[in-house]
Amino acid sequence: MPETLPQPSAGGTPSVLVIGGGASGNAVTVLLRRAGLAVDLIEARPDWNAGTGSGITLQGNALRVLREIGVWEQVEASGYTFDSLGVTAPDGTVLFVGDVIKTGGEDLPATLGMQRPRLQQILSDAVRASGAGVRLGTTAETLEQDADGVSVRFSDGTSGRYDLVIAADGLNSATRAAIGITERPEPTGMAIWRMPAPRPEGVTRSDLAYGGPAFIAGYTPTSENTIYAYVVERGRDRASVRPESYADEMRRLADQYGGAWPEITQHITDPDKVNYTWFQRLLVEGSWHRGRVVLVGDAAHCCPPTLAQGAALSLEDASVLAELLTGDREWDDDLLQAYYERRVTRVRTVVEASLQIGQWQLDDVRDADVPGLINRTMDLLKELP
């Protein structure tokens, strides 16, 4: 028999703790609050990640969830939408421009770029407006499960009692480890330099240059006035990359690209605005829960951004889990396993495709069918999760 999770008493309201205030944690909080559940959200960073990140690319299936949450109009007004993707030579010569599959349906753009801090602000405002309890600068120190629920002791010395805990605390999730899930993220061998910059007048879509001194040099418009630029190379030993040299290192690579890059490169001057990150891989197998604690987003899976699907998959997790929790099924082991089974094939397809594209670049495979793999994967994502 499946383990039955604690149910609220007759007329009672289920209580949920969400650990982590990123995209998936914010999204699931809003959706559960809309259904009338009692939700507390805790976030380790006192600033709620308000200034974290340069830009983000959101495909249509991410936009579909943002519309479900009720923030699509704000996102659309804050970002930059486009339906095509350009491929250029390192010197800037445009080799190909193709339509991007609309994974969110024909009534949404194929792609939207926006400044990541702005997306975080929109989502965190939605959490506040939902009436959820929010505690910043707070972590869960211990989780103790029994037949009736989960007792949580927080880093500020207080404690709480919940029917369910949702771990949305990211790639290096402390909650994942605390509940005995041993999978950990692994580097893929690639790394990315990112930074925000003013938008050159002619940049109206993402363009990717393959080859040159790096695997990929690309940029994405994030508003009428801004872009984020990125350069992907083979991963280096972190000890060899000093934060004070970030701007010099990224500029050295970007200097060797043409087209819009000379205008972009002149803004790569402040090392504090440049981010250097290894690509990571993670896919938790078997189930994404242990008892009354369940993983969403990067805590359960992560892949290189070669398909720009990381945020979309995390938002889909939040949507599917909220749908199941607010339906008429009991909150039992079968329900949480159904969440995993509904998500894992779709997520695995994206993770494996993203890794394959990167591996082809690492192995210098010149005849790889990258467009075919991308199109097959995007066709799958057109279906509802």
Side-chain angles (χ1 to χ4, degrees):
M1 294 289 292
E3 177 188 2
T4 298
L5 305 189
Q7 304 299 304
S9 58
T13 301
S15 61
V16 178
L17 173 67
V18 176
I19 301 175
S24 59
N26 291 337
V28 77
T29 297
V30 173
L31 294 171
L32 294 179
R33 281 293 302 140
R34 183 180 300 164
L37 278 66
V39 185
D40 288 339
L41 181 147
I42 61 170
E43 163 56 42
R45 291 179 59 118
D47 66 352
W48 207 341
N49 300 296
T52 303
S54 52
I56 187 169
T57 302
L58 299 168
Q59 304 283 7
N61 54 320
L63 305 181
R64 182 167 54 203
V65 179
L66 292 170
R67 182 173 60 187
E68 178 188 0
I69 295 166
V71 298
W72 163 238
E73 291 184 358
Q74 293 169 271
V75 168
E76 184 180 27
S78 300
Y80 195 102
T81 62
F82 51 97
D83 294 329
S84 62
L85 174 70
V87 176
T88 77
D91 65 3
T93 302
V94 177
L95 303 175
F96 174 78
V97 177
D99 292 336
V100 178
I101 292 174
K102 292 188 171 184
T103 56
E106 292 301 315
D107 57 342
L108 286 168
T111 315
L112 177 140
M114 69 183 303
Q115 297 172 68
R116 188 179 287 268
R118 177 57 183 148
L119 176 63
Q120 176 66 6
Q121 185 64 58
I122 290 170
L123 289 173
S124 59
D125 286 349
V127 171
R128 293 281 195 195
S130 77
V134 176
R135 298 168 68 184
L136 304 180
T138 304
T139 59
E141 294 292 291
T142 62
L143 303 169
E144 295 184 1
Q145 304 192 44
D146 57 33
D148 300 316
V150 187
S151 295
V152 184
R153 184 168 61 82
F154 298 105
S155 56
D156 61 2
T158 62
S159 60
R161 182 82 171 166
Y162 299 91
D163 294 309
L164 185 72
V165 173
I166 298 175
D169 49 346
L171 184 62
N172 296 306
S173 169
T175 314
R176 183 181 64 231
I179 61 174
I181 295 177
T182 58
E183 285 100 327
R184 297 170 57 87
E186 299 176 351
T188 70
M190 303 177 83
I192 187 168
W193 300 91
R194 297 183 177 99
M195 67 153 289
R199 183 177 74 88
E201 184 176 350
V203 172
T204 58
R205 62 172 185 261
S206 287
D207 282 323
L208 303 176
Y210 290 91
F215 294 121
I216 303 171
Y219 44 76
T220 295
T222 53
S223 73
E224 286 295 327
N225 302 314
T226 60
I227 65 167
Y228 80 101
Y230 41 94
V231 181
V232 179
E233 63 168 0
R234 194 174 297 273
R236 309 184 199 179
D237 182 344
R238 289 187 188 277
S240 71
V241 185
R242 296 172 291 107
E244 61 270 23
S245 71
Y246 279 8
D248 294 339
E249 292 291 332
M250 183 175 180
R251 189 173 58 251
R252 180 182 61 79
L253 294 167
D255 266 338
Q256 301 178 62
Y257 290 91
W261 276 100
E263 185 174 347
I264 296 169
T265 302
Q266 66 181 328
H267 298 286
I268 308 176
T269 57
D270 184 350
D272 291 336
K273 293 182 178 179
V274 178
N275 175 263
Y276 176 75
T277 309
W278 283 356
F279 286 173
Q280 304 273 2
R281 62 180 295 171
L282 172 70
L283 179 57
V284 174
E285 297 281 6
S287 69
W288 292 349
H289 75 284
R290 297 292 186 272
R292 303 160 190 84
V293 182
V294 60
L295 310 179
V296 295
D298 285 354
H301 51 78
C302 182
C303 58
T306 44
L307 290 172
Q309 275 291 313
L313 292 182
S314 294
L315 289 167
E316 285 185 355
D317 284 355
S319 174
V320 170
L321 182 59
E323 176 193 328
L324 291 170
L325 292 175
T326 58
D328 57 5
R329 294 179 56 174
E330 288 189 356
W331 285 18
D332 60 15
D333 192 70
D334 280 350
L335 181 145
L336 296 180
Q337 187 64 22
Y339 156 66
Y340 166 79
E341 291 173 358
R342 187 163 150 188
R343 294 297 295 143
V344 69
T345 299
R346 185 178 178 100
V347 169
R348 182 183 289 113
T349 298
V350 175
V351 169
E352 291 180 351
S354 300
L355 290 168
Q356 181 63 79
I357 292 169
Q359 195 60 51
W360 280 332
Q361 293 173 316
L362 285 165
D363 295 341
D364 194 27
V365 177
R366 301 299 179 92
D367 59 351
D369 184 20
V370 175
L373 180 57
I374 291 174
N375 287 337
R376 290 191 298 274
T377 306
M378 292 301 180
D379 271 334
L380 169 71
L381 293 173
K382 289 168 63 177
E383 301 299 324
L384 291 174

